[in-house]
Amino acid sequence: MLNFTHDPAAQSWVAAAQAPGSDFTLQNLPLGIIVRDGSDKHPRGGVAIGDQVVDLAHLAASGLLVGPAKAACCAAADATLNTFMAMGREGWQPLRHALFKLLSSTVDAATQEKVRACMLPLSETTMKMPVEVRNYTDFYTSRHHAVNVGRVIRPENPLTPNFQWLPIAYHGRASSVVLSGTGFRRPNGQSRTANNQPPAFGPSRRLDFELEMGFFVGPENMLGEPLSVSQARDRIFGMCLLNDWSARDHQFWEMDPLGPFLGKNFCTSISPWIVTMEALEPYRAAFDRPATEPQPLPYLDDATDRASGSIDVRLEVSVQSRRHRAQHLPGDRITATSFRHQYWTVAQMLAQHTVGGCNLQSGDLMGTGTISGPTPSEAGALVELSVGGTRPVSLPGTGETRTFLEDGDSVSIKGWCEKPGFARIGFGECRGEVLPAIDFGMA
Ligand code: CA
């Protein structure tokens, strides 16, 4: 449902919010956890607007908010957003609506001054993890990705028979979810290059990124209490960008029969700002399941979700190598697509997660699975773009090529929503750099 916070004509008195290409417009208002550079090191919630951030701890104490908006602001001022997420829409909406009014250019000059006293430049803040991630589950919901990767692993039968019937997932590792900007070491592990030969141990030679989005659980459900698609939709707080780094050689050797383990558990990166589902509302689109495909079973089907379960988030990935940095080049874009192509919606994913009685916790992180669009150039991982490592991807800026990632490569995911008649909103960036492996001295 759209409301006054989606009005494309509304502007902020923070001028940079209206700058061309701005991610943090008045209609966005994403939340994150900030630390002020300098003496005051206490982490607290913040809301980005243009090139500024509203310090929610200062706003809560300012006297500018009353009632539910103030209660929500106090919760969001915490050192993580878990408590605020647990409040549900009754907390999320009053805070968004109050912030929208306070930051709108129609507010009086005296109020502007009071809000300005609660702000600081983004350039003077350090971002922290937005939530304490208690559980992390990663789905597998792009049909194009499943077919592309399936062709590499099982050429005779690329799409597994369950894919069209349920949103597949595995339980991932919460402890190694890190904030954008954190480097990680190339993982060591076992891989086998030839059938019927013993595996080798060493640094991954097929290190990959996975272009994904993440979404966060708000109010919890009790153990044994499944959520319908409609209930699940209301429990999702917001979304971020996510990179599910993957060691393909380790993964393909170890995952049969129990699924991903070391090939996935060494690092998962997320972007620092969480864009709320309310901000994403104008970019919802019909969930398309052609009549030629199996239709969702009744527990995964919902009229509202059919009408608006997909979300059109534009996504792109670029790689910056050491050579790019030496030449002061920004890196080369290697793929671009949209989240709207996923085979399952976020509400269906969450409903599936709980249908057997699994209880979710506030701040739980769900990965959508790799997001690959319908054409080869829209693939969301190098294993697809390089066709299993057989067709190198070019980095035109430096003349280099990649089949998989090399040490020093920095991978950047960007995401934004844009369409005529609505304000642009953006997610910022999710970036991470591959550092050399720990040397076991066994090479
Ligand atoms: Ca993944």
Side-chain angles (χ1 to χ4, degrees), residues 206-224:
R206 299 187 136 217
L207 185 60
D208 204 349
F209 67 87
E210 285 190 343
L211 165 61
E212 299 195 21
M213 297 193 70
F215 59 99
F216 293 92
V217 174
E220 306 185 342
N221 62 309
M222 303 285 285
L223 186 65

Side-chain angles (χ1 to χ4, degrees), residues 136 138-139 170 210 212 244 246 264 369-370:
Y136 164 48
D138 196 20
F139 283 85
Y170 67 94
E210 285 190 343
E212 299 195 21
D244 177 30
S246 300
K264 300 278 191 176
T370 304

Side-chain angles (χ1 to χ4, degrees), residues 220-228 231 235 354-359:
E220 306 185 342
N221 62 309
M222 303 285 285
L223 186 65
E225 178 210 336
L227 298 174
S228 67
Q231 288 170 325
R235 307 264 173 141
T354 65
V355 76
C358 176
N359 53 326

Side-chain angles (χ1 to χ4, degrees), residues 392-439:
V393 175
S394 67
L395 303 178
T398 56
E400 296 171 277
T401 61
R402 288 291 181 274
T403 48
F404 292 96
L405 295 170
E406 296 189 5
D407 291 350
D409 284 353
S410 177
V411 177
S412 163
I413 300 176
K414 288 186 176 165
W416 68 97
C417 302
E418 210 169 37
K419 73 175 178 184
F422 288 95
R424 175 194 161 101
I425 59 172
F427 286 79
E429 183 184 40
C430 178
R431 179 180 281 276
E433 184 181 331
V434 181
L435 306 175
I438 288 176
D439 183 2

